[in-house]
Amino acid sequence: MALSGGAADRGSHSMDKSITLPPDEIFRNLENAKRFAIDIGGSLTKLAYYSTVQHKVAKVRSFDHSAKETDGDPLYEISVQEEITARLHFIKFENAYIETCLDFIKDHLVNTETKVIKATGGGAYKFKDLIEKKLKLKVDKEDEMTCLIKGCNFVLKNIPHEAFVYAKHADSEFRFQNTHPDIFPYLLINIGSGVSIVKVEAEDKFERIGGSSIGGGTFWGLGALLTKTKRFDELLQLASKGQHTNVDMLVKDIYGGAYGSLGLTGDLIASSFGKSATTDKEFSKEDMAKSLLHMISNDIGQLACLYAKLHNLTRVYFGGFFIRGHPVTMHTITYSINFFTKGEVQALFLRHEGYLGAIGAFLKGAEEDSNLTCWRWTVWIGS
């Protein structure tokens, strides 16, 4: 099932890749479980929902005829079997269309057995009455930070190629990481409307050690004021076409070149939007959006590396819906961390960055509905 256009994500992506769930007991019981969960932040509502997919699988059995020649004997045998796999799907809605999101849930996910909806994020409180009235379900609120970390630990441990390094000028821009059970400790920078910085030391041991009010909501809000563009993805599209050097003041604009004794190249930004105060001209929407994206990404990158150095952490993961796989954002954050830590800290990005909280809430529901006390995860990305 996929949505196109409409209120559900008016940007370039209407649905992210789904996760194929393993045939473990915890998922076999899901026909009677909470089959979906929502994470409602300050700007976006993220939905994770479960379904099964039936498909045919061809299996080949070969025969060894090396010992003797036998005319007419088959070399191989092909059999076709029906298999059912469980999948976890994702979709997002702007909060302005929260009722459209609830209509989608009501029409496609709620059945006569559904009594409760798992919800996390600030909106689980803000929209509680609306959700219960619209869906005729009880809202079971889960702690936002607990769901965020639970979802992040899950994807890092179980989803191949979930995390990746972005290297703009390398032969391969994306260097995907293999799953590994030893993921701790790490730093999670969750960039939503604002920014939360979380130190994660074990499965259930984490601490929010910092944050910032300058995040995705800042880019969206200031971008709307500067360009009159109201859509987040449209702002990113503008930024991808812009030239920030038309707006930003660079080191070479001040010194005429590099400041070698401090290790500052001439192309480094000395002052974001610095030229707008000294240049008597109109700036394009594209250039302003690009400058704004650089400013916020650089600020987040520097903040991340300072906390990583303070707590002796070498791996920093970025979640939330600010990045969205945008090359400029990833390159700016990566460059900032490499510059300030001299390569000692690694910036890593996540393919399901925006759905960590929703995944965590879904897993909480699945655990509660399972009678097992111990189970194993093996998960892979579905196409």
Side-chain angles (χ1 to χ4, degrees), residues 15-22 51 53 55 85-90 154-155 158-162 351-352 378-383:
M15 183 172 291
D16 290 55
K17 283 181 177 289
S18 59
I19 295 175
T20 301
L21 299 171
S51 73
V53 178
H55 57 96
T85 57
R87 299 175 73 87
L88 193 59
H89 305 270
F90 309 100
F154 174 74
V155 298
N158 300 290
I159 303 182
H161 301 160
E162 171 66 27
R351 296 177 69 183
H352 293 87
T378 50
V379 181
W380 61 96
I381 290 289
S383 58

Side-chain angles (χ1 to χ4, degrees), residues 103-312:
D103 285 337
F104 173 83
I105 293 172
K106 182 178 180 180
D107 293 341
H108 298 286
L109 302 179
V110 176
N111 58 37
T112 55
E113 300 296 324
T114 310
K115 305 298 182 186
V116 176
I117 179 171
K118 280 288 185 184
T120 189
Y125 298 86
K126 180 179 179 179
F127 296 108
K128 175 180 178 293
D129 292 342
L130 174 64
I131 295 170
E132 292 186 338
K133 179 180 178 182
K134 189 102 172 172
L135 300 182
K136 304 295 190 291
L137 301 176
K138 177 187 175 183
V139 174
D140 188 4
K141 299 184 290 295
E142 292 289 346
D143 178 71
E144 179 179 1
M145 204 59 62
T146 300
C147 289
L148 177 70
I149 302 306
K150 191 174 190 68
C152 190
N153 290 341
F154 174 74
V155 298
L156 289 179
K157 284 186 175 182
N158 300 290
I159 303 182
H161 301 160
E162 171 66 27
F164 62 92
V165 173
Y166 182 77
K168 181 179 179 180
H169 301 296
D171 291 337
S172 177
E173 285 186 311
F174 301 90
R175 298 206 305 269
F176 292 98
Q177 311 294 295
N178 294 322
T179 55
H180 195 280
D182 183 21
I183 63 173
F184 308 111
Y186 67 85
L187 193 68
L188 175 64
I189 312 296
N190 195 58
I191 316 169
S193 298
V195 179
S196 285
I197 301 173
V198 188
K199 179 183 179 181
V200 186
E201 298 181 86
E203 196 70 43
D204 297 310
K205 185 180 180 182
F206 58 87
E207 178 186 3
R208 186 183 187 275
I209 57 176
S212 173
S213 62
I214 302 174
T218 313
F219 175 71
W220 198 350
L222 281 178
L225 291 173
L226 289 168
T227 69
K228 308 304 179 186
T229 302
K230 298 296 185 181
R231 300 292 176 195
F232 192 97
D233 288 298
E234 289 176 12
L235 280 171
L236 287 178
Q237 291 173 9
L238 286 175
S240 67
K241 301 172 185 176
Q243 179 55 261
H244 76 96
T245 56
N246 291 333
V247 182
D248 295 339
M249 186 176 292
L250 309 182
V251 169
K252 65 184 178 183
D253 294 322
I254 300 173
Y255 295 99
Y259 195 155
S261 63
L262 292 182
L264 304 177
T265 65
D267 290 328
L268 279 180
I269 299 172
S271 176
S272 296
F273 289 91
K275 289 180 180 175
S276 62
T278 59
T279 304
D280 187 20
K281 70 172 186 178
E282 294 290 325
F283 296 99
S284 71
K285 293 181 179 181
E286 292 80 1
D287 292 347
M288 288 189 291
K290 185 68 162 288
S291 175
L292 182 62
L293 186 59
H294 270 284
M295 182 182 76
I296 293 173
S297 299
N298 270 319
D299 183 71
I300 292 171
Q302 185 172 15
L303 200 60
C305 75
L306 289 174
Y307 275 98
K309 295 290 285 183
L310 182 64
H311 291 269
N312 296 313

Side-chain angles (χ1 to χ4, degrees), residues 9 68 73 109 171 303 307 315 354 359:
D9 186 14
K68 59 180 181 177
D73 285 351
L109 302 179
D171 291 337
L303 200 60
Y307 275 98
R315 287 176 294 184
I359 292 171

Side-chain angles (χ1 to χ4, degrees), residues 26 34 70 75 77 88 110 253 355 358 372:
I26 187 173
K34 302 171 179 66
T70 306
L75 297 176
E77 179 181 86
L88 193 59
V110 176
D253 294 322
Y355 294 103
L372 300 180

